[in-house]
Amino acid sequence: MKKNLLRHNVFFWDFDGVIIDSDQVRKKAFEDALSEYEDIKVKKLIEFHNKNGGLSRYIKLDYFFDKILKKTVSQNHLSELLSRYGEYCSNQLINNKYLFNETINFIKQYSKSKIFYIASGSDNVELNFLCKKLNIQKYFSSINGSPESKKDIVKRIINKHNYDLEKTCLIGDSVNDYEAAHHNKINFFGYNNTLLADIKGTNYIEKF
């Protein structure tokens, strides 16, 4: 698998679940931000979050109000919830203990011979803040997050640099990551989610 991986020159890395073990922190952040709402409703959002790890918090909160609560929310209140969510995540995830050591070691080893980007569903400002605090931003040509969608991030960067699609890949832990790679006609490598190994044509990384 490693040989197959290393034939690529350009790598798009998902952040949550691939570079950093943030899942429990993200769930707690939703619970904290939405503490004024019924637990059973918030649990439904967590279920949606579990199935759609690669989607941004913007989409998840839209889903919460539109599909679960079936009510409108003011922009001011939505901004307040997003701020509370982001503050919780930023305070927790600056700790290096959450980083996946094997992923970071691979990135450090090949960052000078390969071109690395982060394409994440995490908020762009928060993402750049965390990468700076974790001292990993130096390994990436750019760090990109929401509200721009992952498939659009990948498309924009590929088009800007005219990268060879056959030599470009995306590494992610969710179906949304697979869809972003498939949409842009680049190779996909699943990681940290064995369900991805069942998707036809998917390469799966057991360990780096």
Side-chain angles (χ1 to χ4, degrees), residues 12-28:
F12 288 93
W13 295 85
D14 179 36
F15 185 67
D16 296 281
V18 175
I19 291 174
I20 193 166
D21 187 9
S22 59
D23 188 54
Q24 293 304 313
V25 172
R26 298 290 187 193
K27 290 176 185 177
K28 290 288 187 182

Side-chain angles (χ1 to χ4, degrees), residues 90-116:
S90 294
N91 288 338
Q92 295 293 319
L93 294 176
I94 56 173
N95 194 322
N96 285 74
K97 72 178 184 179
Y98 290 108
L99 292 172
F100 285 114
N101 288 328
E102 70 167 43
T103 305
I104 294 300
N105 289 338
F106 179 93
I107 289 170
K108 286 180 179 179
Q109 182 178 358
Y110 293 102
S111 62
K112 292 182 179 178
S113 58
K114 305 292 183 180
I115 302 170
F116 291 158

Side-chain angles (χ1 to χ4, degrees), residues 14 18 50-55 150 172-179 188 190-191 193 196 199:
D14 179 36
V18 175
N50 289 338
K51 294 176 182 176
N52 298 275
L55 294 181
K150 191 170 299 185
D173 71 329
S174 73
V175 172
N176 306 105
D177 296 320
Y178 165 79
E179 290 171 347
F188 175 72
Y191 177 72
N193 181 354
L196 296 174
I199 299 176

Side-chain angles (χ1 to χ4, degrees), residues 59-202:
I59 293 174
K60 289 171 184 175
L61 284 179
D62 282 345
Y63 180 88
F64 179 68
F65 286 100
D66 185 43
K67 303 297 184 183
I68 297 175
L69 295 184
K70 295 180 169 42
K71 62 188 290 186
T72 57
V73 57
S74 71
Q75 191 58 49
N76 284 343
H77 187 51
L78 184 59
S79 296
E80 180 185 340
L81 295 176
L82 286 166
S83 179
R84 284 163 58 183
Y85 177 94
E87 184 176 355
Y88 186 96
C89 292
S90 294
N91 288 338
Q92 295 293 319
L93 294 176
I94 56 173
N95 194 322
N96 285 74
K97 72 178 184 179
Y98 290 108
L99 292 172
F100 285 114
N101 288 328
E102 70 167 43
T103 305
I104 294 300
N105 289 338
F106 179 93
I107 289 170
K108 286 180 179 179
Q109 182 178 358
Y110 293 102
S111 62
K112 292 182 179 178
S113 58
K114 305 292 183 180
I115 302 170
F116 291 158
Y117 294 92
I118 290 180
S120 172
S122 293
D123 176 78
N124 186 64
V125 174
E126 176 192 301
L127 185 62
N128 278 271
F129 168 80
L130 289 175
C131 289
K132 184 175 181 180
K133 286 293 184 179
L134 294 167
N135 197 31
I136 61 173
Q137 82 281 8
K138 58 191 174 185
Y139 302 119
F140 302 95
S141 296
S142 69
I143 296 165
N144 311 269
S146 60
E148 186 179 13
S149 72
K150 191 170 299 185
K151 67 180 179 63
D152 288 342
I153 290 170
V154 174
K155 181 180 180 180
R156 169 173 57 80
I157 292 173
I158 288 175
N159 288 344
K160 179 180 179 180
H161 298 282
N162 196 29
Y163 288 133
D164 181 350
L165 300 183
E166 288 295 319
K167 296 291 185 178
T168 303
C169 68
L170 189 154
I171 302 172
D173 71 329
S174 73
V175 172
N176 306 105
D177 296 320
Y178 165 79
E179 290 171 347
H182 183 71
H183 177 83
N184 286 286
K185 299 178 181 178
I186 61 175
N187 291 316
F188 175 72
F189 288 83
Y191 177 72
N192 195 30
N193 181 354
T194 54
L195 294 176
L196 296 174
D198 296 330
I199 299 176
K200 185 178 180 180
T202 293

